[in-house]
Amino acid sequence: MTTATVKDLYPTRGTAEVTVPRQDPVVWGAPDTPGPITTADLQRYERDGFLAVDQLITPDEVGIYKRELDRLVSDPEVRADERSIVEPKSKEIRSVFEVHRISEVFANLVRDPRVVGRARQILGSDVYVHQSRINVKPGFGASGFYWHSDFETWHAEDGLPHMRTVSVSIALTENLDTNGGLMIMPGSHRTFLGCAGATPKDNYKKSLQMQDAGTPSDEALTALASEHGIRLFTGKAGSATWFDCNCMHGSGDNITPYPRSNVFIVFNSVENTAVEPFAAPVRRPEFIGARDFTPVR
């Protein structure tokens, strides 16, 4: 299937910035669909675009996943792999992609009913992993992620047609209000912001270190923040934040001594599989935007 056979509901990367009302549901599953999310929490997710869970995994499990994260980022072979993204200044590993494929420990986390069950409940179908990664923000200078909508990139550069994708960020260290935590504009998921400027070839090589193409203007961000406000997420290790693919979100630098590490999993509906990119010359590599649509079992 190509983009020629799929209507582009969300134009982006043109000559000017545009806003488009959301054309897709937020919660695709029926309200009474069985699963770990309560009806009240599903309603909050639909309204705000996110759902915080105080303890998704136990302290013992946190230890298992944290040890695996430490093993991966200290492995020279992993560091040399193209799936590892290195901080421009410190040269420390910032992210490792496709961790559910290179680590059976994280593959088990993806299959955990507490994790994939919530994704199926929100998206109303079987799901596959569009992207997985570990994010590492060591203390004293790890850089943040500038404001963006994930869907804008996944639509433009990976070819996801609809907003039927959900992310979960699971804290493996305590997320404080000072160490570069996740920020989301509640309700921003109901408006698509199409960014100005064409997508360079192999944009991912630069954007994974510092966002450029797909970056909203200061004026657009000011308008969204004025309308929706900004929510900062904190929580103990083992807590998690689920958020819609179109939420405007970002995180600041970590200049504290306290590291912030998370595992990040993106689930997409098997009924929303990727086509050709809508606004990029070529697809991103499969370790960033999957082309294997096998359901998680």
Side-chain angles (χ1 to χ4, degrees):
M1 184 181 295
T2 67
T3 53
T5 63
V6 179
K7 184 178 180 180
D8 185 359
L9 299 176
Y10 303 104
T12 190
R13 311 285 174 96
T15 56
E17 208 168 44
V18 296
T19 56
V20 177
R22 187 187 184 105
Q23 306 294 303
D24 295 305
V26 178
V27 175
W28 292 73
D32 57 352
T33 301
I37 307 178
T38 66
T39 300
D41 279 345
L42 270 178
Q43 291 172 342
R44 279 190 281 271
Y45 177 88
E46 184 169 31
R47 179 193 68 200
D48 297 331
F50 58 79
L51 177 65
V53 179
D54 289 338
Q55 186 182 71
L56 183 67
I57 58 176
T58 67
D60 287 345
E61 291 170 317
V62 168
I64 293 170
Y65 296 120
K66 181 63 169 60
R67 286 191 292 274
E68 180 69 354
L69 179 149
D70 291 341
R71 182 188 72 81
L72 290 172
V73 299
S74 62
D75 185 333
E77 290 188 8
V78 172
R79 182 185 180 86
D81 193 288
E82 65 174 346
R83 288 173 286 196
S84 294
I85 310 302
V86 177
E87 282 278 354
K89 292 182 179 179
S90 69
K91 303 304 179 184
E92 294 188 60
I93 287 182
R94 173 191 181 113
S95 301
V96 179
F97 281 80
E98 218 171 34
V99 289
H100 71 295
R101 293 196 180 279
I102 64 177
S103 164
E104 187 60 28
V105 173
F106 285 115
N108 289 336
L109 179 62
V110 165
R111 294 190 290 262
D112 190 308
R114 295 168 296 180
V115 177
V116 71
R118 283 177 165 85
R120 293 186 185 121
Q121 201 175 352
I122 291 169
L123 300 180
S125 68
D126 278 331
V127 298
Y128 70 93
V129 177
H130 176 69
Q131 185 185 102
S132 72
R133 67 178 187 260
I134 48 175
N135 290 330
V136 184
K137 272 193 177 181
F140 300 117
S143 55
F145 293 86
Y146 196 69
W147 291 105
H148 64 285
S149 154
D150 286 330
F151 179 75
E152 192 277 337
T153 297
W154 298 337
H155 182 70
E157 300 185 39
D158 297 339
L160 294 192
H162 294 281
M163 296 179 182
R164 199 171 180 179
T165 314
V166 63
S167 302
V168 60
S169 177
I170 305 171
L172 299 182
T173 55
E174 187 169 5
N175 283 219
L176 305 167
D177 58 3
T178 53
N179 66 344
L182 174 68
M183 296 180 288
I184 294 179
M185 297 184 187
S188 59
H189 62 303
R190 295 194 173 276
T191 301
F192 176 75
L193 181 63
C195 297
T199 309
K201 186 178 179 181
D202 291 339
N203 178 57
Y204 77 94
K205 293 180 180 179
K206 180 180 178 183
S207 67
L208 296 179
Q209 292 183 328
M210 184 172 293
Q211 189 84 0
D212 188 9
T215 302
S217 69
D218 291 352
E219 292 78 12
L221 289 171
T222 299
L224 283 171
S226 298
E227 180 178 357
H228 301 294
I230 297 173
R231 167 82 182 271
L232 171 65
F233 292 86
T234 59
K236 299 288 187 182
S239 63
T241 306
W242 292 84
F243 58 102
D244 179 84
C245 58
N246 192 46
C247 282
M248 189 61 65
H249 67 288
S251 63
D253 296 349
N254 181 13
I255 61 171
T256 75
Y258 312 114
R260 175 179 173 264
S261 298
N262 297 59
V263 54
F264 183 78
I265 306 164
V266 180
F267 293 101
N268 189 39
S269 169
V270 296
E271 299 172 10
N272 186 44
T273 53
V275 294
E276 291 305 306
F278 285 88
V282 294
R283 304 173 182 174
R284 297 194 299 175
E286 291 197 26
F287 69 84
I288 302 174
R291 293 281 161 169
D292 180 350
F293 311 132
T294 305
V296 175
R297 299 293 187 204

